[in-house]
Amino acid sequence: MELGNQRASGNVEDRRGMGMVGGGLGVGGIVIAVIAYFLGFDPGTAINVAQQVAPQHDARQAPKGTPADQMGQFVSKVLGSTEDVWGRIFEQSASQYRPPTLVLYDGQVRSACGMGQSAMGPFYCPNDEKLYIDLSFYRDLRTRFHAPGDFAQAYVIAHEVGHHVQKLTGSFRKLEQAQGRVSQAEYNRISVRMELQADCYAGVWGHHAGTMKQLDPGDLAEALAAATAIGDDRLQKQTQGRVVPESFTHGTSEQRVRWFKRGMDSGRPKDCDSFSTSAL
Ligand SMILES: [Zn+2]
């Protein structure tokens, strides 16, 4: 990526090295379980973790701004790029984009959706509109999932920002409304549609990053490698040795790649409607 001229976002909360801090207001265990399932982590475990540890208020403030270290600078610029792109897109439809906060943490983190752990991978909490990432995930992406490269790292942020866009546009509500009212299999099907839409939104950002000359040749391949590596079918094969489509919450590698490319090709969020199509 070429982020030299990109404005770094100041919406980064650096909780690295602070242990467990941060205020939580309520438990949205089920939500965190679904959106955190990025690494083949068992959603059931995430729910338990979220429910066992009730969030408490912690008055210690994490510094918010732009971290000075290299990785901190990189994620701040990627976040800044998503703010610029989504800001313009929202403006075109006469609405205003409310940017999310990106929280950097080590090991464990308290969110308004319950406890987060690095093992869950990056996640978005709709209750506090923050995306949480332990940067050690990038090492996993490189070594465990064989998806190296800065654009693969940026894609991960853009995907979580995609969930934030869903919160702002209301599609997140589809998942919340289904909670406890439909069978687990049906709930998972809605979750897959949510995730594919977030992948497509990540592609929409990628499209505009390309127009802003922020992409290098080979960047697209990096994102596709990442999308392939984190498909449910691929992850299940790796972690359980078998594939159980009914338990998919994110979509297959092929689907994730296809929806990402769809957004990347068109650059228009309306082409990301994974909810009204019968062919995912
Ligand atoms: Zn997701």
Side-chain angles (χ1 to χ4, degrees), residues 159 163 195 250:
H159 172 95
H163 285 310
E195 293 301 330
H250 281 70

